[in-house]
Amino acid sequence: MCRVFARQDPEGYRQINRSVRIAGHSTSIQLEAAFWTLLDEIAENQGLSTPKFISKLYDEALEINGEIPNFASMLRTTCLLYLRGYRPSHDERLQLNREAA
């Protein structure tokens, strides 16, 4: 059983830093390559660039929760929710596209 996971390509869990602008400040986020791939896919599905998606996610989470204790972990769990099947509805995607324009 573990061999399936143990044989994975090490490139997928290589740490990658990306610089993004969040709340008007440039910052660096370090995630594994597999998470960046998923975030790129999620952003594309919502009609946004990855930096724009991350910035919007940060702003909305801050508005809803008041704080974000570990944003990198939140990005990882966002990917998990996505893999578990959450996809925004057609109306949600249209709204996101209008807001991004």
Side-chain angles (χ1 to χ4, degrees), residues 75-86:
L75 291 173
R76 289 183 188 94
T77 56
T78 296
C79 291
L80 178 62
L81 288 170
Y82 178 78
L83 289 175
R84 286 185 170 171
Y86 175 75

Side-chain angles (χ1 to χ4, degrees), residues 6-19:
R7 288 183 182 152
Q8 67 181 295
D9 183 357
E11 186 62 24
Y13 53 85
R14 180 176 58 91
Q15 294 285 312
I16 296 176
N17 282 307
R18 286 196 190 176
S19 294

Side-chain angles (χ1 to χ4, degrees), residues 57-71 74:
L57 178 61
Y58 180 88
D59 291 343
E60 290 178 17
L62 192 60
E63 180 181 322
I64 292 166
N65 300 310
E67 67 176 340
I68 306 168
N70 188 332
F71 190 58
M74 183 184 176

